[in-house]
């Protein structure tokens, strides 16, 4: 097997594995860039396929720079197109496709679902997701109350504080002017 055939097989195989085993190779995204495995696999596959085509059509009559340059140029173009399509698809995905984390809830309001002895559960809403999470607080809370997320703990428990309701407005008492009572 030629070098080009190996590149085509490895590129297509890596692309198929990245699609079938989605999420397993996401560590490469942290190493290079977001979507790096599909982009690199597509470029490698195109390099191999075009290289085999050029080699089959021209045979041994081509110089090495042409034999390598043409497939390499088309591989770079294929990688750039794949990267552009990948970025476009990522931007078009809704932001709420990823689940919410407790860290992003710090500073937001939550509603108490149940509460007893400084611990309970609260319902949080963020980016269209709703989640019921464990919480703790030194404040006295009751079911249905609205609380403020102050911090999180290592075990993903929210630390919440009470939001004091606005002071009720009392009607002002005005002295009533009554006519004096009749004498007699």
């Amino acid at each position: 097997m030629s070098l080009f055939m190996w590149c085509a097989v490895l590129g297509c195989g890596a692309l198929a594995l990245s699609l079938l085993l989605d999420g397993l190779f996401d560590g490469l995204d942290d190493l290079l860039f977001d979507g790096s495995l599909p982009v690199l696999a597509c470029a490698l596959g195109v390099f191999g396929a075009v290289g085999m085509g050029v080699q089959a059509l021209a045979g041994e009559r081509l110089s090495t720079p042409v034999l390598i340059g043409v497939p390499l140029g088309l591989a770079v173009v294929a990688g750039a197109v794949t990267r552009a399509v990948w970025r476009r698809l990522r931007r078009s995905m809704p932001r709420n496709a990823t689940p919410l984390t407790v860290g992003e809830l710090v500073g937001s309001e939550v509603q108490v679902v149940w509460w007893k002895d400084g611990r309970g559960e609260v319902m949080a809403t963020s980016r269209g997701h709703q989640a019921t999470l464990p919480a703790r607080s030194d404040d006295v809370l009751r079911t249905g109350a609205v609380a403020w997320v102050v911090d999180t703990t290592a075990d993903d428990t929210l630390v919440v504080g009470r939001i004091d309701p606005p002071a009720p407005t009392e009607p002002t008492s005005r002295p009533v002017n009554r006519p004096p009572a009749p004498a007699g």
Side-chain angles (χ1 to χ4, degrees), residues 139-182:
D139 296 336
V140 177
L141 296 173
R142 59 178 169 65
T143 301
V146 177
W148 190 263
V149 179
V150 179
D151 199 6
T152 62
T153 63
D155 62 345
D156 290 342
T157 300
L158 299 176
V159 178
V160 297
R162 183 181 62 189
I163 297 178
D164 292 325
T169 56
E170 295 181 18
T172 56
S173 57
R174 294 183 186 157
V176 179
N177 292 331
R178 295 184 186 175

Side-chain angles (χ1 to χ4, degrees), residues 68-88:
I68 300 294
V70 171
L72 188 61
L74 289 174
V76 169
V77 169
V81 168
T82 304
R83 176 76 175 139
V85 169
W86 180 267
R87 291 185 67 176
R88 176 75 178 182

